[in-house]
Amino acid sequence: METIERAIDPSHMKISDEIAIQIRAMNKWYGQFHVLRDINLTVHRGERIVICGPSGSGKSTLIRCINRLEEHQSGQIVVDGTELTSDLKNIDTVRSEVGMVFQHFNLFPHLTILENCTLAPIWVRKVPKEEAEETAMHFLRKVKIPDQAHKYPGQLSGGQQQRVAIARSLCMKPRIMLFDEPTSALDPEMIKEVLDTMISLAEEGMTMLCVTHEMGFAQAVANRVVFMDQGQIVEQNTPREFFNNPQSERTKMFLSQILGH
Amino acid sequence: MSDTHAQTVPFVRDTMLPQAAPPAGQAGAVRWLRENLFSGWVNTVLTLLGLLALFVLVKEMAPWFLHSVWNANTLTECRQIVADRWGPDATGACWAMIRERWPQFLFGFYPSNLYWRPVTALVLLFVALAPVLFPGVPRRLMVFSVLYPFLGFWLLWGGSIWLPVVAILGFVIGYAVWRVLQRRSPLLALLGGIVAALVWWLFLAGPVNEALTSALPLGLEMVRSDRFGGFVLSLTIGVAAISLSLPLGIMLALGRQSDMFLIKTMSVCFIEFIRGVPLITLLFTASLLLNYFLPPGTNFDIILRVIIMVTLFAAAYIAEVIRGGLAALPRGQYEAGNALGLNYFQAQRLIILPQALKISIPGIVSTFIGLFKDTTLVIFVGLLDPLKGITDAVRASTDWKGIYWEPYIFVGAIFFLFCFGMSRYSMHLERRLKRDHR
Ligand SMILES: Nc1ncnc2c1ncn2[C@@H]1O[C@H](COP(=O)(O)OP(=O)(O)OP(=O)(O)O)[C@@H](O)[C@H]1O
Ligand SMILES: [Mg+2]
């Protein structure tokens, strides 16, 4: 992992004081099971945060709470100034501001790539069809697959599908992007093409929260690494400090396992 | 590991081999026969037994078909002709009966000078179906498909033209109210639209209809429901129930999946109750019990009642078939829709249902085929279905008393045509919607 250089020079990182996501004393249970315990996390606009931790530690649950795919039971989540409550209007507002990329792509198999990308802009944002298609082609060019626009997801490779999924989210012009292990379902040679896409997104100053085990990616683009275990945030730090100078025992153990020492 | 091999390891092909034909016996009919009919002795024995059965069947049935009589006025005459031509022991089909009585099989006791009306309705049915079934047909024809139910009703039963018009107006009014209230709140708009349409139908449509009719009496001669019979009856009930049961089935399936307790419970109870009772029970309910529940003096058409019951029956089955399709979709599809900001109805309409319905096509079409064949059960509430109702009527006549196979074969063949058509269409649809090439 040391071989990957920092893609983004930390001195150029333009992080505003504006707060994109504010999570305060948030708790969540699945039935009796306390998955997320007293989560406090502040994300500034333009920040790129990598969340890591052992399996079952609640990483997915945490980022799925941010766009209300999961409901939290206590505490507060404020996204772009909108608090997530049971109010459907707020949920819709937040969801149209926040893009999400899933481990298993979740493209719509009955629609072409282009239709996948234009569906939400047309129906949610009420953008005219031509304009939505233009935007979609713009983002498909950006993820380097404009020539696949009229194929169906089933005809694309895993890496291509994941890049389409990223383009589909970008078509909604989100201000925040969430990634849940975007590369874990991919073969090694496809991981790079997806990571490259994410890096270029980061370079443009997108606010990103990314659950991943790609520690090289974390070092290259993250401002901050958040380490979770048993539903709690155990440690957060800059990548440099986090990898070279982990504080807690749990972090050390996790790093030694994942880095194969 | 031989020496030769070692020597040939560095190898570059310089000439490409031409394509060669497969060895004899490995291609064409011989190979097909060997692989499919005579591979191994079990298979060979089964093939021979099958051929024997086929032979016996054809040998027994062929003479009867070959000795068909097309021109005769009575069954006795038919038998006489067969005996004269093929000997006293010969049997032969008497299709002359079909030749004479086919209008009855098709139209029941519909007035014969008005046959053009059901025929027009049938032709227009195909026009109305075309844009629904085939994407190549111009979308604008869909307007006709939407209006067809009213037109078809008017053609079949006749009466004042204003009745279907005021019925359509109810939908227009409901839609207008829905549009106006839509900006306030979707739920209010839905309720408002339904209430407005109901108020129109229940209280205003009647007087308006009468006023218009007396002002401008346009219309067709009325045909009462008891004149309906044969395939006109079967198709009317079948087509109406098929087109009504699909949307109802979809709603029930979604209701059963709903998070809202009341809607879910009601859907489950409805589905389980309807599936738990035989269709005939429902038909009897339609013909007898509804009369007790309805205010006295209301004349609620028997065919309409049967259509409602058959629709409810089929909808319960379709709901279960679609539930299977919904369950087959990965959770990720719902989540991706939600994450993109689509609301419940948009996600269902654009993402979930297209996929779930595609998976459910074979089951849905099976239900439709079953429904269409079940329309013959209306005989039990006194309607003249083609299979038993009309056949019995024909056999009750002195001319054709004693005829047995021919009417059933004829009616069966027509049913087969429709059902086979539906089945082929469903296979065509599955192929057309096939998307994943993995
Ligand atoms: N719908 C659910 N109902 C009950 N328990 C659940 C549910 N979803 C997740 N869990 C539990 O919550 C815990 C956290 O799950 P989560 O998916 O957030 O973990 P994760 O950190 O993303 O793990 P991984 O790295 O394997 O994806 C796990 O113990 C899991 O078993
Ligand atoms: Mg996870």
Side-chain angles (χ1 to χ4, degrees):
Chain A
M1 44 146 287
E2 291 80 1
T3 53
I4 297 188
E5 298 162 30
R6 281 200 72 85
I8 295 168
D9 184 350
S11 58
H12 290 172
M13 288 190 299
K14 39 180 194 312
I15 298 169
S16 67
D17 296 336
E18 200 186 331
I19 289 174
I21 302 172
Q22 174 83 271
I23 302 177
R24 279 196 216 101
M26 191 262 277
N27 283 279
K28 171 166 180 59
W29 288 262
Y30 281 126
Q32 291 297 308
F33 178 52
H34 199 171
V35 249
L36 294 178
R37 309 178 195 186
D38 193 37
I39 302 286
N40 287 287
L41 184 69
T42 306
V43 181
H44 293 269
R45 184 158 310 294
E47 256 197 307
R48 297 168 293 279
I49 292 182
V50 161
I51 302 171
C52 62
S55 182
S57 55
K59 311 178 293 289
S60 300
T61 311
L62 173 60
I63 73 163
R64 288 157 60 86
C65 282
I66 295 173
N67 65 355
R68 196 70 169 196
L69 287 183
E70 301 288 352
E71 195 179 328
H72 61 281
Q73 274 91 36
S74 77
Q76 205 184 24
I77 302 179
V78 182
V79 181
D80 248 343
T82 311
E83 183 175 355
L84 279 170
T85 56
S86 51
D87 186 345
L88 291 177
K89 276 227 173 63
N90 287 0
I91 296 175
D92 286 343
T93 314
V94 166
R95 281 178 178 166
S96 60
E97 294 296 324
V98 177
M100 181 150 191
V101 174
F102 300 86
Q103 180 174 0
H104 296 288
F105 330 138
N106 295 353
L107 294 177
F108 307 130
H110 62 302
L111 300 176
T112 63
I113 301 305
L114 191 62
E115 288 166 342
N116 263 279
C117 294
T118 56
L119 185 80
I122 289 176
W123 289 91
V124 179
R125 289 244 193 271
K126 315 285 184 209
V127 176
K129 191 167 176 239
E130 290 77 38
E131 195 186 322
E133 285 181 352
E134 251 167 59
T135 317
M137 287 312 292
H138 167 76
F139 284 113
L140 286 175
R141 271 193 292 279
K142 212 160 135 182
V143 300
K144 302 196 177 65
I145 31 179
D147 44 333
Q148 316 278 2
H150 295 285
K151 289 193 180 170
Y152 287 93
Q155 296 166 299
L156 266 55
S157 78
Q160 289 173 326
Q161 289 191 45
Q162 192 60 297
R163 283 183 286 152
V164 170
I166 295 175
R168 178 176 72 176
S169 290
L170 292 177
C171 284
M172 284 292 281
K173 311 263 174 74
R175 307 182 70 180
I176 299 167
M177 285 287 285
L178 309 175
F179 294 85
D180 190 1
E181 307 202 29
T183 56
S184 325
L186 298 176
D187 293 338
E189 69 265 34
M190 296 175 187
I191 292 180
K192 188 172 175 311
E193 60 188 46
V194 171
L195 289 184
D196 285 347
T197 308
M198 292 169 61
I199 290 173
S200 75
L201 202 58
E203 281 165 349
E204 285 164 21
M206 176 68 80
T207 311
M208 291 166 63
L209 266 83
C210 182
V211 176
T212 184
H213 296 294
E214 295 294 329
M215 291 305 143
F217 174 78
Q219 291 209 318
V221 302
N223 317 92
R224 191 160 24 132
V225 178
V226 172
F227 175 69
M228 288 184 67
D229 193 17
Q230 294 177 7
Q232 301 161 76
I233 293 180
V234 175
E235 185 169 344
Q236 43 178 319
N237 216 329
T238 61
R240 185 184 311 249
E241 284 297 302
F242 180 81
F243 289 112
N244 298 334
N245 191 13
Q247 302 294 309
S248 86
E249 279 310 310
R250 290 183 178 286
T251 317
K252 284 177 195 161
M253 217 165 76
F254 174 73
L255 283 176
S256 72
Q257 275 168 4
I258 202 159
L259 301 179
H261 285 236
Chain B
M1 291 300 112
S2 66
D3 291 345
T4 42
H5 184 238
Q7 283 155 9
T8 56
V9 166
F11 171 74
V12 179
R13 183 176 290 287
D14 47 10
T15 52
M16 300 305 283
L17 299 176
Q19 180 165 335
Q26 288 297 310
V30 177
R31 174 170 179 194
W32 187 89
L33 279 177
R34 195 163 56 210
E35 278 185 358
N36 291 292
L37 296 178
F38 299 104
S39 63
W41 64 270
V42 178
N43 217 339
T44 307
V45 168
L46 287 177
T47 300
L48 292 177
L49 281 177
L51 285 176
L52 188 71
L54 209 64
F55 173 75
V56 172
L57 210 65
V58 169
K59 185 170 160 284
E60 290 301 309
M61 284 174 44
W64 189 76
F65 278 103
L66 288 175
H67 302 170
S68 294
V69 174
W70 288 91
N71 283 311
N73 289 321
T74 63
L75 185 61
T76 356
E77 201 182 323
C78 252
R79 295 213 167 123
Q80 191 56 48
I81 294 173
V82 172
D84 289 350
R85 282 198 201 145
W86 314 97
D89 292 336
T91 57
C94 185
W95 303 116
M97 184 277 297
I98 305 293
R99 198 186 152 97
E100 189 191 295
R101 293 302 186 97
W102 65 266
Q104 217 172 350
F105 281 99
L106 299 191
F107 300 101
F109 293 97
Y110 207 89
S112 56
N113 59 326
L114 300 179
Y115 280 171
W116 64 273
R117 275 161 48 178
V119 171
T120 315
L122 182 67
V123 172
L124 291 181
L125 170 68
F126 287 111
V127 178
L129 281 179
V132 181
L133 298 184
F134 302 102
V137 179
R139 295 290 87 187
R140 263 171 296 138
L141 263 180
M142 210 66 125
V143 178
F144 180 72
S145 312
V146 172
L147 292 179
Y148 177 78
F150 303 96
L151 181 61
F153 165 81
W154 183 60
L155 277 173
L156 287 173
W157 274 274
S160 163
I161 180 80
W162 299 112
L163 184 63
V165 171
V166 295
I168 295 175
L169 272 179
F171 286 101
V172 174
I173 288 168
Y175 177 74
V177 170
W178 178 77
R179 265 309 274 275
V180 169
L181 292 179
Q182 181 68 12
R183 267 173 232 119
R184 296 263 184 85
S185 123
L187 193 67
L188 187 72
L190 192 68
L191 283 177
I194 293 175
V195 168
L198 283 180
V199 166
W200 170 261
W201 283 324
L202 291 180
F203 301 112
L204 299 171
V208 172
N209 178 27
E210 270 162 34
L212 282 170
T213 309
S214 58
L216 193 65
L218 280 178
L220 291 170
E221 188 184 326
M222 283 262 261
V223 177
R224 290 217 324 272
S225 285
D226 51 12
R227 307 299 296 271
F228 281 57
F231 280 99
V232 167
L233 182 68
S234 276
L235 277 171
T236 306
I237 298 173
V239 169
I242 282 175
S243 42
L244 290 172
S245 62
L246 185 61
L248 187 61
I250 292 173
M251 286 199 291
L252 283 171
L254 293 181
R256 193 166 189 166
Q257 292 236 315
S258 165
D259 294 333
M260 282 181 264
F261 179 75
L262 198 65
I263 291 183
K264 186 184 171 117
T265 318
M266 273 164 42
S267 304
V268 171
C269 290
F270 178 87
I271 292 171
E272 296 305 336
F273 171 73
I274 296 279
R275 289 202 310 163
V277 296
L279 176 57
I280 296 187
T281 315
L282 294 178
L283 291 178
F284 279 137
T285 313
S287 82
L288 301 173
L289 283 181
L290 278 186
N291 276 349
Y292 293 110
F293 292 128
L294 290 169
T298 40
N299 181 18
F300 195 28
D301 189 89
I302 178 73
I303 295 184
L304 204 58
R305 280 186 265 170
V306 166
I307 287 176
I308 291 174
M309 284 307 178
V310 175
T311 301
L312 297 182
F313 189 74
Y317 282 86
I318 287 176
E320 285 301 281
V321 170
I322 294 177
R323 189 164 71 97
L326 289 172
L329 286 195
R331 240 168 71 101
Q333 293 290 310
Y334 294 85
E335 290 177 351
N338 285 341
L340 284 169
L342 297 170
N343 65 33
Y344 174 82
F345 292 103
Q346 290 171 333
Q348 292 295 344
R349 200 186 119 205
L350 301 167
I351 299 169
I352 306 304
L353 282 177
Q355 297 184 61
L357 289 179
K358 187 184 119 190
I359 301 173
S360 322
I361 289 170
I364 291 176
V365 174
S366 288
T367 312
F368 284 167
I369 290 177
L371 180 161
F372 184 52
K373 291 186 295 186
D374 281 353
T375 57
T376 51
L377 292 176
V378 297
I379 180 68
F380 289 106
V381 293
L383 292 172
L384 289 177
D385 80 298
L387 191 64
K388 185 157 168 59
I390 299 291
T391 302
D392 281 359
V394 167
R395 289 180 359 170
S397 70
T398 41
D399 288 352
W400 304 108
K401 204 181 208 84
I403 197 158
Y404 195 75
W405 290 100
E406 292 84 345
Y408 294 125
I409 291 177
F410 175 68
V411 172
I414 294 184
F415 268 111
F416 177 80
L417 274 184
F418 280 108
C419 296
F420 188 64
M422 284 194 253
S423 150
R424 294 310 294 190
Y425 176 75
S426 112
M427 287 166 80
H428 158 83
L429 196 61
E430 275 176 75
R431 261 198 313 274
R432 193 178 86 205
L433 296 179
K434 208 169 156 75
R435 288 287 184 262
D436 41 339
H437 297 256
R438 329 208 100 192

